[in-house]
Amino acid sequence: MAGPVAAAGPAVGVPGASTSAAGVDGMAGVWRSDGYGTVLALEDGRLREYQTTAVSCLPGDSAQSTGHGADGTVLYTGADETVYRIRAQGRGRARMHVDGSVGDRRLRLLPALPGRCTQAQPAGARAAFDVFWQTFEENYPFFAAKHLDWHAVRDRYRAKVHDGMPDGELFALLRSMVRPLHDAHVFLDAGDTGFFAQGRPGTTIPSPELDQRARHYVEQKDLAGTALHSFAGGRIGYARPADGTGYLRISGFGGYDGASRAYARDSAVLDGALSEVITPHLKHLILDLRINGGGSDALALQVADRLTDHPYPAYAKRTRNNPRDPAGFTRPQPIRVIPAPGRERYNGPLAVLTGGETYSAGETLTQALMGRPAFTVRVGQNTQGVFSDILTRTLPNGWTFGLPDEEYLTPSGTTFDGPGIPPDIRTGDFVHDIGQGTPDSAFAQALATLHAHDARPPVPNGPDRKG
């Protein structure tokens, strides 16, 4: 690892640079987000991200201005086709929305780029350790719930770090620091040196191989050899057995079009698939999220929007925003399920299949369906227990890592992070059933529950809900 690394790109907001809210793109200046440890420099039609902590300021993503909305929103698009939408909210204030996410980030105008961002940044193993530890210290919400004393972790490991130590030793040390979290939204990518990610104990990380095995198992065990009708590059599958029950399997929320990574394209593909699935003759629906690696929360919410005729709260979202106070969060943003306008919607009985391999956006969809007014039942096992967007960061040595910094709250203000969302009806482990070739207990229980619901007398003068 070489000497000091300077922040990339020209300084913005330093003496002589414009900090007004007017400019080439209408939002020129330096903006700090409320939470997320991020400063954005907007100048000459370009967005530059700086990833900040109390000990560092490192360059992150960048994007180019690609247009303006009728409401004054300025659009920036990154090389990975991520779209950032920034809109002024009054003097010195703005909001940013990232396509594919839900909720907005609040921004406030700074007089200049923080001084640390214009200075050469320390390098070496100790600098990497300090940025890694400090980023978790300022952003990770779940140390108390995970029973991990993060300050004790620093005291235990920092003395073992020295500049010039082999990359493999540093990687193993950083990995050991976060391994006790058992958090599937924590990862460390050290390139050729190694990669670390893990799930909750007793669960399996979803993979394309597991997804294919699950699909074949369902077709043979549950659908009597009937092949699923595939959409979205195989990430969505559908069948309708003779009894009128629809079976919809979704293994992820994104990557639907191999030619594009744009959220708008994925949304259009998902809309087309749902339009073929949701028809007026659908009597029951089983939604299988048991092998689901997550993805875009906005795409997940798009599914919920097609499964109701009545708007209702999905969840509320907040992020850590006080580096010195683990209990400091932004004001929760309410996220709602809104019936999709101009589309066929399904408002009948719904069974949602979940398990420990239901991750992230698969879980936020499960949470969004908990308040669904029509009859909805969860069958299977607890979901994985990770809901937040992943805050991706870069270390001074070029390695990348990720961690959660948000909570998704129920109406009572609780979160399912860690243990995951429990089922209403608990059945056997799906991955075990696949491996052993045993019958699919969750699918059978879902069918039985939906049919039993048909036999119940209707609830007078009220919504059709679980008793």
Side-chain angles (χ1 to χ4, degrees):
M1 284 168 264
V5 178
V12 179
V14 295
S18 169
T19 59
S20 71
V24 173
D25 50 24
M27 294 292 297
V30 178
W31 302 83
R32 181 182 292 280
S33 65
D34 187 10
Y36 302 96
T38 301
V39 169
L40 300 175
L42 310 181
E43 186 177 59
D44 297 331
R46 186 174 182 184
L47 177 152
R48 295 178 184 270
E49 176 196 58
Y50 291 86
Q51 303 169 358
T52 65
T53 71
V55 301
S56 61
C57 178
L58 294 166
D61 294 335
S62 64
Q64 297 290 333
S65 178
T66 50
H68 294 73
D71 59 356
T73 299
V74 182
L75 279 62
Y76 296 87
T77 303
D80 63 353
E81 300 187 69
T82 299
V83 178
Y84 307 84
R85 302 174 185 270
I86 302 178
R87 182 182 180 186
Q89 295 284 296
R91 185 175 180 83
R93 294 182 295 113
R95 281 184 178 266
M96 180 174 73
H97 180 80
V98 181
D99 279 9
S101 185
V102 295
D104 297 329
R105 300 184 185 186
R106 295 182 179 181
L107 308 176
R108 63 180 177 87
L109 190 66
L110 299 181
L113 196 66
R116 189 180 298 276
C117 299
T118 67
Q119 302 167 357
Q121 300 295 305
R126 285 199 170 185
F129 177 96
D130 289 341
V131 172
F132 188 81
W133 185 89
Q134 192 69 36
T135 302
F136 276 87
E137 166 71 6
E138 297 183 8
N139 296 283
Y140 191 74
F142 308 118
F143 285 125
K146 303 280 187 174
H147 307 292
L148 183 64
D149 184 338
W150 192 237
H151 287 251
V153 169
R154 178 190 58 193
D155 296 343
R156 175 184 177 187
Y157 286 100
R158 194 176 191 278
K160 302 178 181 181
V161 179
H162 58 89
D163 290 342
M165 66 189 299
D167 283 355
E169 291 184 13
L170 178 61
F171 172 78
L173 185 147
L174 298 179
R175 178 184 60 196
S176 296
M177 292 168 63
V178 295
R179 189 189 294 276
L181 296 172
H182 297 293
D183 191 320
H185 272 177
V186 170
F187 76 87
L188 174 60
D189 186 351
D192 293 339
T193 302
F195 180 85
F196 169 74
Q198 65 179 342
R200 196 181 73 232
T203 65
T204 303
I205 297 177
S207 66
E209 293 75 20
L210 180 58
D211 179 42
Q212 287 303 310
R213 289 174 59 205
R215 178 192 178 101
H216 179 74
Y217 171 88
V218 166
E219 290 175 339
Q220 298 305 310
K221 295 291 185 180
D222 301 326
L223 303 177
T226 300
L228 288 168
H229 183 192
S230 291
F231 306 89
R235 305 209 76 186
I236 301 174
Y238 181 71
R240 184 176 296 180
D243 68 354
T245 299
Y247 170 81
L248 174 61
R249 181 174 181 270
I250 304 179
S251 64
F253 293 100
Y256 294 159
D257 183 353
S260 171
R261 290 178 290 177
Y263 162 75
R265 178 58 186 161
D266 280 341
S267 178
V269 172
L270 177 59
D271 180 70
L274 293 175
S275 292
E276 291 200 37
V277 170
I278 298 173
T279 66
H281 304 294
L282 190 60
K283 184 178 180 181
H284 303 124
L285 181 63
I286 296 175
L287 174 60
D288 192 346
L289 302 175
R290 289 177 294 183
I291 308 295
N292 185 295
S296 163
D297 286 334
L299 292 177
L301 205 62
Q302 186 174 332
V303 176
D305 291 344
R306 297 293 292 269
L307 299 178
T308 185
D309 286 335
H310 305 282
Y312 64 90
Y315 41 75
K317 180 177 178 177
R318 68 179 185 178
T319 187
R320 273 199 62 184
N321 70 341
N322 188 334
R324 295 170 297 279
D325 179 9
F329 286 85
T330 58
R331 180 180 301 174
Q333 292 186 63
I335 308 298
R336 293 180 61 79
V337 176
I338 306 295
R343 297 290 189 270
E344 187 73 35
R345 300 186 295 268
Y346 175 73
N347 200 44
L350 172 69
V352 184
L353 307 186
T354 66
E357 293 67 38
T358 306
Y359 274 54
S360 197
E363 299 185 84
T364 64
L365 173 56
T366 303
Q367 187 167 351
L369 295 172
M370 292 177 71
R372 183 174 180 263
F375 177 85
T376 306
V377 61
R378 300 183 307 280
V379 182
Q381 296 195 331
N382 287 45
T383 64
Q384 175 65 209
V386 289
F387 296 78
S388 171
D389 292 343
I390 298 179
L391 185 68
T392 302
R393 288 293 183 253
T394 302
L395 293 176
N397 63 1
W399 295 356
T400 58
F401 66 104
L403 66 156
D405 63 338
E406 303 167 327
E407 290 183 335
Y408 282 58
L409 305 175
T410 67
S412 64
T414 60
T415 170
F416 294 106
D417 281 279
I421 299 174
D424 297 307
I425 301 173
R426 189 170 297 278
T427 62
D429 179 81
F430 183 51
V431 175
H432 178 270
D433 289 344
I434 294 173
Q436 298 298 313
T438 53
D440 188 348
S441 56
F443 186 92
Q445 184 64 63
L447 275 179
T449 303
L450 292 174
H451 291 155
H453 176 265
D454 288 344
R456 294 173 53 184
V459 179
N461 300 321
D464 182 17
R465 296 185 62 91
K466 292 196 298 292

